[in-house]
Amino acid sequence: MSPSGRALVVAAAQDSIARGSRSFAMASQIFDPATRERAWLLYAWCRACDDLADGQELGHDARPVADPAERLARIRDLTGKALAGEATGDAAFDALGIVAREVDLPHRFVHDLIEGFALDAKGWFPRSEDDLLRYCYHVAGTVGCMMAVVMGVDPADEATLDRACDLGIAFQLANIARDIEADDRIGRCYLPVDWLVEMDIPPGQHMKPPFRSRLVVIAKWLGEMAEAYGASARRGAPALRFRSAWAVLAAAGIYGGIAREVTARGAHAWDHRAATSNWQKLGWLARALPQTALRATLYPPAPRPAGLWTRPR
C-alpha cells in the first residue's frame, strides 16, 4: 500500500476510535506516534467486526440480527484477505492488514477473536465460570495480546502476553457487569448458569425486579474478578516502554472505575449506563504517570496468581 493509501486508512481508523471509544481514544494519545497509529488501526478492525456481528454502529444500539452466520462469514472472508495482504475494499479490514504486517502480528490471536463472534452468532451462553472466562479471552483477552505486540512486546514473550490477556479479561468483566440490562434487551446473558442457580435466579429472569438484590451480588462477583485480573495485568507494566506502560496503567484505572461504579450503585447499577467522565479519565491519566515512573518498584516480578484462568497456548 502506498504512503498516501496508508494515511487514508489511518485517518479512517482515527475517526472510528474518536467516535467509538472516548476512553481508548484518550489513552491512545499517550503512545508514541507509530504505536498510536497502529493502535488505531487495530481498534478500527475490532470495532468493525463487533459492529457487523451485532448490527450496531460504533458500539451503539446493538440489536438481534437476522443473518448472524452470513455476517460471521463476511468477517472471516475479509479478515482472511487482509491477513493475506490483499486489498479488501473496506478500510477497517485493510487497517488490520497494515498493522499485522508492520508488527508481525500472530494470526492466532486474530482468529481467536473471531471465535468469540462465532459464539455469539450461535446464541451461546456460559454455563460455568470457566466458560465465562474463556469467552472473555476470545472477545477481549485476544485484543490485550494483540495490543501488547503493537506496543513492541515479543510475540514469544508468553509471560507478558499473559498479563496483557488479563487486562483484556478485566475490561470485559467490567463491561459485562455494566451491560447486564443492555445485553438482556437483545436476548443475551453472559452470567454463568451456575451463578444463577447458586443465587436461585431462574435462567432468563435475572432482570426481573424480585431478583434485583441477588443480581447485585453477581455484579459484585464480576467486579471482584475484574479487580483480580486487573491487578495481575499491572504486573506486566515493567515489560513495556514508558509511554505504553503509562497508557496501559491509565486504561486499567479507567475501566476498573467502571466496575467499581457498577458495584457502588447496587440495585441502581442499570438505571443508566455506568461510565467515567472526561475529568475522571484525566484523573486516571494523571495518577498513572507516577505509577509508570515507579513501575519496576510497584510491580516487581511475581508469579501470576495460580487461581486465575490461563489462556490457551
Side-chain angles (χ1 to χ4, degrees):
M1 180 177 289
S2 68
S4 60
R6 184 186 186 282
L8 288 174
V9 174
V10 169
Q14 181 181 8
D15 179 67
S16 173
I17 194 171
R19 296 194 293 147
S21 177
R22 289 179 297 174
S23 295
F24 196 0
M26 182 175 291
S28 73
Q29 294 302 319
I30 300 174
F31 291 133
D32 63 86
T35 302
R36 184 186 310 131
E37 286 190 353
R38 289 166 178 163
W40 292 344
L41 291 169
L42 180 60
Y43 174 89
W45 172 74
C46 294
R47 177 78 279 146
C49 291
D50 200 25
D51 286 352
L52 185 58
D54 286 350
Q56 62 189 7
E57 183 176 355
L58 294 170
H60 302 293
D61 302 320
R63 62 184 187 277
V65 298
D67 55 346
E70 289 81 357
R71 289 168 180 261
L72 180 63
R74 177 171 173 77
I75 290 171
R76 292 191 194 279
D77 177 57
L78 291 176
T79 297
K81 289 178 178 177
L83 293 178
E86 301 176 28
T88 68
D90 186 306
F93 287 86
D94 289 340
L96 172 67
I98 292 170
V99 71
R101 289 189 296 275
E102 291 183 353
V103 304
D104 196 21
L105 190 69
H107 291 187
R108 72 181 187 275
F109 295 134
V110 174
H111 296 307
D112 278 355
L113 175 56
I114 293 175
E115 288 309 306
F117 297 124
L119 290 173
D120 281 331
K122 66 182 182 182
W124 171 93
F125 57 88
R127 296 182 179 277
S128 65
E129 184 175 303
D130 185 78
D131 287 347
L132 168 65
L133 291 167
R134 187 172 298 277
Y135 175 78
C136 288
Y137 162 72
H138 279 292
V139 300
T142 52
V143 180
C145 292
M146 288 188 283
M147 276 299 303
V149 175
V150 165
M151 290 185 284
V153 173
D154 186 335
D157 184 354
E158 300 287 6
T160 300
L161 293 181
D162 281 342
R163 303 294 186 170
C165 179
D166 286 342
L167 188 61
I169 289 174
F171 288 178
Q172 187 62 26
L173 289 168
N175 287 343
I176 288 172
R178 178 193 63 194
D179 294 338
I180 290 173
E181 187 273 337
D183 289 331
D184 182 67
R185 278 191 274 113
I186 59 172
R188 291 183 182 173
C189 178
Y190 298 108
L191 308 179
V193 172
D194 287 354
W195 289 10
L196 296 174
V197 170
E198 182 174 349
M199 294 305 298
D200 200 21
I201 301 175
Q205 303 297 306
H206 55 279
M207 287 307 301
K208 301 295 184 183
F211 305 113
R212 181 55 60 95
S213 62
R214 304 177 198 179
L215 187 62
V216 168
V217 175
I218 290 179
K220 182 174 181 290
W221 292 347
L222 288 168
E224 290 171 346
M225 290 175 63
E227 187 66 31
Y229 281 90
S232 174
R234 288 179 174 88
R235 292 280 183 174
L240 304 176
R241 295 189 293 267
F242 186 92
R243 293 178 70 167
S244 293
W246 185 11
V248 164
L249 291 173
I254 290 168
Y255 276 87
I258 291 173
R260 286 187 290 273
E261 182 180 352
V262 170
T263 300
R265 286 185 184 180
H268 298 286
W270 306 281
D271 291 352
H272 55 87
R273 196 169 190 258
T276 52
S277 69
N278 285 338
W279 283 111
Q280 288 172 317
K281 292 182 178 72
L282 289 171
W284 282 112
L285 288 173
R287 274 178 274 186
L289 182 56
Q291 294 176 20
T292 305
L294 297 172
R295 62 192 184 282
T297 301
L298 293 174
Y299 309 113
R304 185 170 174 270
L308 298 186
W309 185 87
T310 301
R311 65 187 172 90
R313 293 288 194 269

